[in-house]
Amino acid sequence: MKVDKRTFDWLIDAWAYSGTDHAVEYALRLLKRMEHFKDRMTMGGDDGDDYELYPDVKTYTKVINAIANSGKEDAGEQAEAILNRMIDMNEPLTMPNTYTYTNVIDAYARSAPYNSNAPYSAQRLAERMEELRATSTSEQVKPTARAWNSVIGAWADWMGEEMPWGEYVGSGAERAESCLDIMDELASVTGNEDVRPNSYNFNSVISAWANNGGGDAAFRAENILERMEVLYRQTGQEDVKPRTVTYNAVIDAWAKSGELDGAHRAELLLGHMMELFETGHNVDAKPNVRSFNTVLNAWAKSGVFDAPVRALKVLSRMEELASSDWDDVLPDATSFATVINAYARSNTFGKADSAYEVYTYMKEMYDATGNIKLRPNNIIYNSVLNACAFTMGDFEEQSRAIEIANSMLMELDESPYGKPDHITYGTYLKVIANQMDPSPARTEIAATVFQKCARDGMVGGMVLRQLREMGMGDEEFEELVGISIWKAPSLSDLPSSWTCNVIEGKRLRRRQFR
């Protein structure tokens, strides 16, 4: 089989999207081999077949893409170093183009969470693209909405400028929004419509405000949505049309806002989406299950006294719509878990029972329909346990919370839906700590649960923290853990077999909702 340039390009692409730690290393090795063939040909050391292995702008851009995909802290600098090499070569076949610059900007954007200078460098390169466009007779390089979207993404991840005293000052969302005005002005002044902001850019800025979560973030996000609606009404252009994902991002901003009327504003926006769809004014604004789930989350986080009731009404509306052929709003496990969390966060009397009833209803629906989206999972069980942990009331109420917690822990352990994880065990210990008075019986229960947790390899930070807060004596704690409570043991002090199955953060959530 003859190996040619396309073979090398394909291999570089394969490494670029492989997700492996050494992808950049292998992509650079392939580029180096191609450069070696070029050098050998230049020195007259081989026949003309080597010409077919010369790296060109496409090859270098693919290598830069591999660097960008690595997301490493120095990815931007490494990518720009290759860009500068291409410029220094001053050869037609390797002269950087729009895609090359865009990939370098991408490299800076993806390293922004770890590199506070990355957004500045990303914007510098986007502005450099305009300089090159303005001074060239060709359009080999020109700024585009795609390139600027990476700049917006870089600012969205920016934590602010670090001050000497360790605080961060500045708003990445504010900087991201300013990019929209820069893009608009560039398009109007230069006539380059490829740089005019589109729905992807607007959505990215809205998400930046949603994730900012402070001050007037939700208001700013909704203002951008209104700007899109006005633009679409005035121009009818599809590329500025707000769609479901746009409205969902603004609803999310209200859910995270902490505003007293945040949940109410989120639900109003959901109603606006339904009106737009039903009247035909914007059929691409049709709410989906994520729209409703985000409103449910807004109510769960709202802290208002009737939040669980409001959440249940939203859940009922989802079921009502689903029964009338809106299949994409049928409640799923996330919907029910969020309603349960609304109870857990509330001061509602009997919330352990209420949370358990919501779980039971969901399980009955799953058993009746077999809908995989309603299949119980750890998050559902853990949410009910959380409601039990924070139940308030008299002795009867506390006893009922413990009874439900026991049932949930045993049921999960014996079910085909999953097994107790570190959150399950940690939350159950919280139930025992909150609902039982200090006593030898409480200590014995906690010890039994911890021992099973250790056998399952599920001792995480929450489990250890709850055990420390159980009020055990030092002797009892040391007999159980092997280390004095006064030495403040950490997970690293424990046998690895006790912690080996703990999965934290986003990886845990992805695994539970597979």
Side-chain angles (χ1 to χ4, degrees), residues 496-511:
S496 60
S497 62
W498 290 10
T499 62
C500 60
N501 293 321
V502 174
I503 301 174
E504 302 276 7
K506 292 181 180 179
R507 286 180 60 220
L508 171 67
R509 190 168 183 85
R510 283 198 299 269
R511 180 173 176 177

Side-chain angles (χ1 to χ4, degrees), residues 369-389:
T369 65
N371 185 344
I372 193 66
K373 292 182 179 179
L374 292 170
R375 188 176 192 267
N377 55 40
N378 283 57
I379 290 179
I380 291 289
Y381 284 92
N382 294 346
S383 296
V384 177
L385 285 171
N386 194 46
C388 295

